[in-house]
Amino acid sequence: MDNQTRILVVDDEETLCEALRFSLEAEGYKVDVANLAEEALALDLSIYDLFLLDIMMGEISGLQLARIIKSNPATASVPIIFCTAKDSEEDMISGLDLGADDYIVKPYSLKTVSARVRSVLRRAHKQAGSIAAGNAESVTFDGLTVIPDKKQCIVDGADVKLPKKEFEILLMMLRHRGHIFSRNELISAIWPDEVVVLDRVVDVNITRLRQKLGRYGKNIVTRSGYGYGFIEF
């Protein structure tokens, strides 16, 4: 294990933080902890390779902290795993929609967290390797352009902000125009295999993506019983 891989655990349960620190350091990670989002924000977040965030904390929640992390170019691409007692479908969708890479519901075992951490880091390294290998060329359809290395979506000359998952779905569909992806295919490609992602999460991301693409939203079609795809008209 690369002992330079740095993880920040942010949770207001001090005992749990220390248990996670001990468990992850035993696997060779460099681990820091913060008991409040405010404490985390006082650190240099750009040095970390992964964030483990609780949702219910003090004045700044884990969701708010995730928004701050994703809005900063220096940390926008760093993976986030939510570890939380909030287990409703709405909570899960909110977390994943912010760009989280995994969502672990309390109570959980330390072995489960370690396995999820390994999975998310592998996926992050694989994505970075794909870009380094030359998989970052812009993809364009009419006035719609997606620039992978800049994480940028341009619609008729206007920069449109997309959360991580919506961006990845759009990029995947644009690269394979005319192909209808099943929900399972999208989940497998966009979310880690170990994560239990409901079909509803895919539907919500597709709906929001259509709304943000203006006149190109109609190009994302639904084939009942099959799935979704980007079709040229």
Side-chain angles (χ1 to χ4, degrees), residues 133-196:
N135 198 26
E137 293 84 358
S138 299
V139 183
T140 298
F141 169 74
D142 198 3
L144 172 62
T145 299
V146 174
I147 307 174
D149 57 347
K150 295 182 179 179
K151 310 304 181 207
Q152 186 176 18
C153 175
I154 301 172
V155 178
D156 291 333
D159 192 9
V160 175
K161 302 295 184 184
L162 296 179
K164 181 180 178 182
K165 301 307 181 186
E166 291 176 22
F167 184 90
E168 292 178 353
I169 290 171
L170 177 59
L171 179 60
M172 183 174 172
M173 288 184 172
L174 277 178
R175 281 179 170 158
H176 303 280
R177 291 196 285 272
H179 179 80
I180 301 300
F181 293 95
S182 69
R183 289 182 179 86
N184 286 338
E185 285 180 307
L186 290 171
I187 289 171
S188 177
I190 306 301
W191 287 271
D193 292 339
E194 291 81 358
V195 181
V196 178

Side-chain angles (χ1 to χ4, degrees), residues 41 68 101 111 117-118 126 146 161 176 178 180 210 229:
L41 291 171
I68 294 170
D101 294 81
K111 287 184 178 180
V117 165
R118 288 194 298 271
K126 182 178 179 180
V146 174
K161 302 295 184 184
H176 303 280
I180 301 300
R210 282 173 174 151

Side-chain angles (χ1 to χ4, degrees), residues 1 4 7 11 28 34 45 89 93 97 108 111 113 119 122 136 164 178 180 186 200 203 207 210 214 224 226 230:
M1 179 63 61
Q4 296 305 305
I7 299 173
D11 196 305
L45 298 182
E89 179 181 344
I93 289 173
D97 191 51
Y108 48 72
K111 287 184 178 180
V113 175
S119 174
R122 278 198 305 268
K164 181 180 178 182
I180 301 300
L186 290 171
R200 177 63 179 157
D203 299 340
T207 298
R210 282 173 174 151
S224 182
Y226 294 95
F230 192 98

Side-chain angles (χ1 to χ4, degrees), residues 68-86:
I68 294 170
I69 290 171
K70 291 302 181 182
S71 66
N72 184 346
T75 54
S77 62
V78 179
I80 293 175
I81 298 177
F82 281 120
C83 298
T84 179
K86 295 173 72 67

Side-chain angles (χ1 to χ4, degrees), residues 8-232:
L8 178 63
V9 178
V10 187
D11 196 305
D12 58 2
E13 296 183 48
E14 294 185 22
T15 302
L16 180 57
C17 276
E18 290 308 314
L20 285 169
R21 187 212 293 265
F22 180 81
S23 175
L24 293 170
E25 285 185 342
E27 296 202 18
Y29 299 108
K30 189 83 170 175
V31 182
D32 294 322
V33 301
N35 297 126
L36 292 172
E38 292 86 342
E39 292 179 17
L41 291 171
L43 303 173
D44 179 5
L45 298 182
S46 67
I47 68 173
Y48 294 102
D49 301 289
L50 177 70
F51 298 108
L52 278 170
L53 308 180
D54 184 24
I55 288 184
M56 297 182 292
M57 291 188 284
E59 292 186 12
I60 301 177
S61 71
L63 290 175
Q64 291 172 305
L65 178 57
R67 289 190 186 97
I68 294 170
I69 290 171
K70 291 302 181 182
S71 66
N72 184 346
T75 54
S77 62
V78 179
I80 293 175
I81 298 177
F82 281 120
C83 298
T84 179
K86 295 173 72 67
D87 61 353
S88 73
E89 179 181 344
E90 182 179 348
D91 294 324
M92 185 177 293
I93 289 173
S94 295
L96 295 174
D97 191 51
L98 277 174
D101 294 81
D102 206 342
Y103 192 107
I104 308 174
V105 177
K106 297 177 181 177
Y108 48 72
S109 71
L110 295 176
K111 287 184 178 180
T112 295
V113 175
S114 295
R116 299 291 185 90
V117 165
R118 288 194 298 271
S119 174
V120 168
L121 287 172
R122 278 198 305 268
R123 181 168 176 263
H125 293 156
K126 182 178 179 180
Q127 288 177 336
S130 294
I131 291 176
N135 198 26
E137 293 84 358
S138 299
V139 183
T140 298
F141 169 74
D142 198 3
L144 172 62
T145 299
V146 174
I147 307 174
D149 57 347
K150 295 182 179 179
K151 310 304 181 207
Q152 186 176 18
C153 175
I154 301 172
V155 178
D156 291 333
D159 192 9
V160 175
K161 302 295 184 184
L162 296 179
K164 181 180 178 182
K165 301 307 181 186
E166 291 176 22
F167 184 90
E168 292 178 353
I169 290 171
L170 177 59
L171 179 60
M172 183 174 172
M173 288 184 172
L174 277 178
R175 281 179 170 158
H176 303 280
R177 291 196 285 272
H179 179 80
I180 301 300
F181 293 95
S182 69
R183 289 182 179 86
N184 286 338
E185 285 180 307
L186 290 171
I187 289 171
S188 177
I190 306 301
W191 287 271
D193 292 339
E194 291 81 358
V195 181
V196 178
V197 179
L198 304 176
D199 287 352
R200 177 63 179 157
V201 175
V202 177
D203 299 340
V204 168
N205 277 273
I206 292 291
T207 298
R208 293 179 180 174
L209 187 55
R210 282 173 174 151
Q211 293 169 348
K212 295 172 183 176
L213 294 182
R215 65 191 180 101
Y216 302 105
K218 69 180 186 301
N219 292 94
I220 298 180
V221 301
T222 304
R223 293 288 183 258
S224 182
Y226 294 95
Y228 300 103
F230 192 98
I231 304 298
E232 299 183 33

